Amino acid sequence: MSRVFSGIQPTGNLHLGNYLGAIRNWVTMQDAHECIYCVVDLHAITVAQDPATLRQGIREMTAALLASGIDPERSILFPQSRVRVHAELAWVLMCTARVGWLNRMTQFKEKSGKDREGASVGLYTYPVLQAADILAYKATHVPVGDDQKQHLELARDIAAKFNTDMGVELFPLPEPVIQGPATRVMSLRDGSAKMSKSDPVDAARINMTDDADTIAQKIKRAKTDADALPSEVAGLAGRPEAANLVGMMAALTDRSADAVLQDFGGQGFGRFKPALADAMVTVLAPISARFNALRGDHAAIDAVLERGAERARAIAEPVLAEVHRAVGFTG
Ligand code: AQP
């Protein structure tokens, strides 16, 4: 049986990187799998959060996911903090994971920056909580962006070590699903940096709520080089900004990058950028309209989350009971 699990932090606006790298796959996977999608608020507090902003962020991210096509009738959509199994299982798995494994996690190094000693312990152990999120549901497939590859490998290592240490076959090894032509969408201002919610420069990302004019302006000002586009993907080597924009176009129009370059090869960015902005507006405008219609209906959003948490608990609690037996807490 296949079961899909993935999560997103309720911090800031959903952006095009989140959508093309992960959420679009979440939506399509609903057709063929049992899907569990989580607004990971426990992960959000690994860095400082204002409580009122976080409360609002949980509802807004839920509305954005619903607007993007997550169907709460078919999929389970819930906030992580409402299912205590995540935190309880994380503790057990922290006793399985090794310090050396966590020391290799590049996201901690990036997010803690120069102030590693001042980072929260939660930021350091974040990948173990992420493993618990996945393993609490015995998930088999995890659709994520490319930046999460290392954390997924860690989740597999933790699952395998737990099974071996306890002499059980309790956890399946979860498979990362990293697919599509835009698994790592880069900043519009720097082709070597990931498009990110926490980038202080709004012009570096396309928010799912940006209107047509804002999108056109951001794309017009996006960093590029002076050369025309090549006719084949090989010609994008060493041109990260151009490769990023072509990847976005491919993902937005459901084509390969080569197919995009067959149309635009030899042309300058003056022709390509307006076409890219149009493709973005075509995909994002309906999502943005649905989001604006939903975001104020707190009662409806809270009802989705409450029902989702109930359904999630019904799956995760028996798994935690199995873990307790395997560890020796219970007979
Ligand atoms: N730039 C990206 N390209 C492709 N996929 C991406 N994802 C994030 N950024 C990109 C994928 O989106 C999912 C949810 O991400 P998240 O919010 O849980 O994690 P994140 O990596 O912390 O997202 P951000 O936007 O980069 O937030 P900040 O700025 O707070 O770090 C994941 O599947 C992720 O791979």
Side-chain angles (χ1 to χ4, degrees):
M1 194 188 74
S2 66
R3 183 179 280 157
V4 169
F5 179 94
S6 200
I8 185 158
Q9 297 193 57
T11 45
N13 281 330
L14 193 66
H15 58 72
L16 192 69
N18 299 134
Y19 182 70
L20 297 180
I23 309 305
R24 218 167 56 141
N25 289 333
W26 294 16
V27 172
T28 52
M29 289 181 99
Q30 295 181 117
D31 297 334
H33 304 270
E34 178 187 12
C35 295
I36 304 171
Y37 297 128
C38 186
V39 177
V40 290
D41 48 6
L42 296 180
H43 284 282
I45 63 163
T46 54
V47 295
Q49 296 294 338
D50 166 61
T53 310
L54 180 60
R55 206 167 286 127
Q56 185 186 348
I58 294 167
R59 289 194 176 116
E60 298 243 312
M61 184 53 73
T62 305
L65 293 175
L66 295 170
S68 301
I70 301 302
D71 174 0
E73 294 304 317
R74 285 190 290 163
S75 299
I76 297 177
L77 177 59
F78 73 103
Q80 188 184 23
S81 59
R82 221 69 73 72
V83 180
R84 292 189 177 158
V85 171
H86 292 251
E88 285 187 47
L89 181 59
W91 177 257
V92 174
L93 298 182
M94 269 189 253
C95 300
T96 303
R98 305 290 92 183
V99 171
W101 298 358
L102 288 189
N103 283 345
R104 287 197 284 278
M105 294 298 113
T106 53
Q107 195 183 78
F108 175 73
K109 290 176 193 163
E110 281 158 19
K111 290 207 169 176
S112 58
K114 291 198 179 84
D115 187 23
R116 200 167 297 177
E117 295 290 308
S120 74
V121 175
L123 189 66
Y124 181 70
T125 58
Y126 180 118
V128 184
L129 177 60
Q130 190 172 330
D133 299 337
I134 298 162
L135 300 178
Y137 301 92
K138 297 190 178 181
T140 55
H141 295 84
V142 186
V144 283
D146 182 69
D147 59 315
Q148 291 299 324
K149 203 171 172 177
Q150 194 185 35
H151 288 170
L152 258 293
E153 280 160 12
L154 182 86
R156 288 169 64 88
D157 289 345
I158 292 174
K161 182 164 163 46
F162 181 92
N163 288 346
T164 307
D165 287 353
M166 301 305 154
V168 291
E169 295 229 358
L170 206 159
F171 296 126
L173 303 194
E175 292 285 342
V177 181
I178 301 173
Q179 63 187 18
T183 56
R184 192 176 187 84
V185 177
M186 308 309 278
S187 156
L188 297 177
R189 291 305 173 98
D190 175 1
S192 67
K194 189 181 82 136
M195 185 178 283
S196 163
K197 298 191 213 97
S198 55
D199 192 324
V201 183
D202 188 65
R205 78 184 148 256
I206 301 288
N207 301 303
M208 300 295 285
T209 47
D210 284 344
D211 61 23
D213 286 345
T214 309
I215 290 173
Q217 283 307 315
K218 285 182 176 176
I219 294 299
K220 193 171 170 193
R221 295 202 195 113
K223 187 178 166 196
T224 44
D225 50 43
D227 294 341
L229 283 166
S231 304
E232 290 173 359
V233 170
L236 292 170
R239 300 178 66 187
E241 284 86 10
N244 189 35
L245 297 186
V246 170
M248 287 182 198
M249 182 64 136
L252 288 162
T253 55
D254 283 317
R255 288 183 285 175
S256 67
D258 270 317
V260 170
L261 292 175
Q262 270 164 27
D263 283 356
F264 290 96
Q267 296 188 23
F269 287 99
R271 291 284 299 277
F272 181 69
K273 282 180 164 182
L276 176 60
D278 284 350
M280 274 180 198
V281 172
T282 303
V283 171
L284 299 191
I287 296 177
S288 182
R290 283 195 293 274
F291 172 72
N292 285 325
L294 276 168
R295 69 192 298 190
D297 194 346
H298 290 185
I301 293 168
D302 291 351
V304 165
L305 293 176
E306 194 44 58
R307 168 96 185 99
E310 219 173 88
R311 291 167 67 198
R313 282 193 291 266
I315 299 172
E317 282 174 0
V319 175
L320 185 66
E322 273 187 74
V323 169
H324 279 199
R325 271 195 301 279
V327 169
F329 293 158
T330 56

